[in-house]
Amino acid sequence: MKTFNKLLFVLATFVMLFTTSCLDDSMVDIQVEDFAGSPYIVDFNELPNSAGYIRRSFEMTNDPTKAFPAAFRINLSSPWQLKKDLVVTFQIDEAAVNEYITDNPTSGFQLLSTSKLDVTQGQVTIPAGQREAEFTVNLKTAGIAIEDKYMIAFSITGTDNPDVLISGNYGTQYCAIGVKNFFAGQYRRKLSYFHPTAGGTYPDSPYTTRDGEVTLSTVDATTCDEWLGVWTSDKVYITINPDNSVDLTFPTRTDAFEGDPKDPSKECHYDPNTGIIYVYYAYNSAAPRIFWAEYIPL
């Protein structure tokens, strides 16, 4: 009897080992690669979104000479590091962008002119023992509107080591280029409100004042909106022009108007050196309620 029990134990153990081995193989499906034979590959190491591109957003500006930097990284993909520096060559790839636009006709992208870039080709060096190098492109945004959709692409074209391959999937970096309203953001607003009958004396003693943080929100490339006066029911649209003059519009008020009717010298304007926006407006021309506001960037 003892011998029979021992035999059952041995058989059961054998079956368990066999079954477990089969289960591990089918569940995990482990494949061991020969890392010693893996190639060296160079690629762009910033993974694109599901549509195949990365994004870079820049400040909108009226200055045609002002440029903003964008960095791109090239990576050495391999389980091993090189013992010598690796020089990688890249260039702007307009053909790749045109192909993307053709393949994605509803994307709305346009090819960005190379006149907006200061780099269209070049080389980067991945130092020995390292895996990454970076190059910077300076881009001019004057003339690009917020609603515009532009794209550029850079492709790796070669290296100084014939044993290093260029990635088939990530050898080209597609990048969507966009701009944001250059003065949108958080401000300290210093507001003076002059009322003809409720109290105070124009121009030395306002009926009431406000001093606090407000948000100027983007409407388009040169326009932001803000609450009108001391309320949160109507908006004032603030537009900064290329000559730094400021225009005001009132989307929901027909009785509101730009300027101070009692002082024509109060002209809305923007100071590019300080970033401060000076705004003057009123409503009810028969008995005007007058507002002076300074928006000081935070």
Side-chain angles (χ1 to χ4, degrees):
M1 188 68 177
K2 291 182 179 179
T3 303
F4 180 73
N5 287 338
K6 289 181 179 178
L7 180 60
L8 285 177
F9 177 79
V10 172
L11 288 172
T13 303
F14 176 76
V15 170
M16 289 178 63
L17 288 172
F18 181 81
T19 304
T20 304
S21 177
C22 291
L23 182 62
D24 288 345
D25 288 345
S26 61
M27 290 287 287
V28 181
D29 191 25
I30 297 173
Q31 295 182 358
V32 179
E33 296 184 3
D34 177 11
F35 286 104
S38 297
Y40 293 95
I41 298 174
V42 286
D43 53 28
F44 287 94
N45 72 343
E46 186 172 352
L47 291 178
N49 61 19
S50 59
Y53 57 84
I54 62 173
R55 294 180 181 273
R56 293 290 186 269
S57 294
F58 303 90
E59 181 181 309
M60 173 64 189
T61 178
N62 296 325
D63 185 349
T65 65
K66 191 171 184 179
F68 302 93
F72 300 90
R73 296 188 303 275
I74 291 178
N75 183 62
L76 176 65
S77 297
S78 173
W80 309 105
Q81 295 175 335
L82 291 173
K83 295 180 180 179
K84 294 183 179 180
D85 292 353
L86 178 68
V87 179
V88 182
T89 303
F90 65 88
Q91 67 178 29
I92 198 80
D93 195 337
E94 294 184 329
V97 175
N98 288 329
E99 184 177 356
Y100 183 96
I101 293 171
T102 299
D103 292 342
N104 301 273
T106 62
S107 66
F109 282 112
Q110 305 175 62
L111 174 66
L112 184 69
S113 171
T114 55
S115 65
K116 295 287 187 182
L117 310 174
D118 70 338
V119 174
T120 57
Q121 60 182 350
Q123 293 181 328
V124 294
T125 300
I126 300 176
Q130 298 186 28
R131 300 185 182 278
E132 193 173 276
E134 186 176 275
F135 66 91
T136 299
V137 177
N138 292 296
L139 187 143
K140 298 176 182 178
T141 62
I144 301 178
I146 286 180
E147 61 271 20
D148 291 339
K149 296 183 66 177
Y150 285 101
M151 177 177 279
I152 60 173
F154 283 97
S155 289
I156 298 170
T157 57
T159 74
D160 66 346
N161 186 333
D163 295 326
V164 176
L165 306 179
I166 299 171
S167 172
N169 292 326
Y170 301 112
T172 296
Q173 185 90 86
Y174 297 87
C175 182
I177 301 297
V179 296
K180 55 188 177 181
N181 188 306
F182 74 96
F183 68 98
Q186 301 301 115
Y187 287 78
R188 175 188 177 190
R189 184 188 67 170
K190 298 169 65 176
L191 178 75
S192 296
Y193 174 20
F194 300 93
H195 194 284
T197 59
T201 304
Y202 178 93
D204 299 319
S205 179
Y207 160 60
T208 188
T209 61
R210 297 286 192 275
D211 190 339
E213 184 175 336
V214 299
T215 300
L216 296 187
S217 301
T218 295
V219 175
D220 59 33
T222 58
T223 301
C224 285
D225 68 13
E226 212 273 279
W227 294 115
L228 183 145
V230 295
W231 306 282
T232 57
S233 55
D234 295 290
K235 291 289 185 101
V236 53
Y237 281 9
I238 302 170
T239 299
I240 297 181
N241 301 309
D243 63 356
N244 297 318
S245 64
V246 171
D247 292 330
L248 304 182
T249 53
F250 306 89
T252 59
R253 295 289 295 258
T254 59
D255 61 340
F257 52 93
E258 180 181 335
D260 181 341
K262 294 187 176 184
D263 185 354
S265 69
K266 300 290 187 186
E267 295 185 352
C268 301
H269 65 283
Y270 166 67
D271 185 341
N273 296 316
T274 63
I276 299 175
I277 306 166
Y278 298 88
V279 164
Y280 309 95
Y281 60 92
Y283 73 92
N284 189 349
S285 58
R289 281 74 166 154
I290 301 169
F291 298 88
W292 300 349
E294 292 182 21
Y295 293 91
I296 304 166
L298 296 177

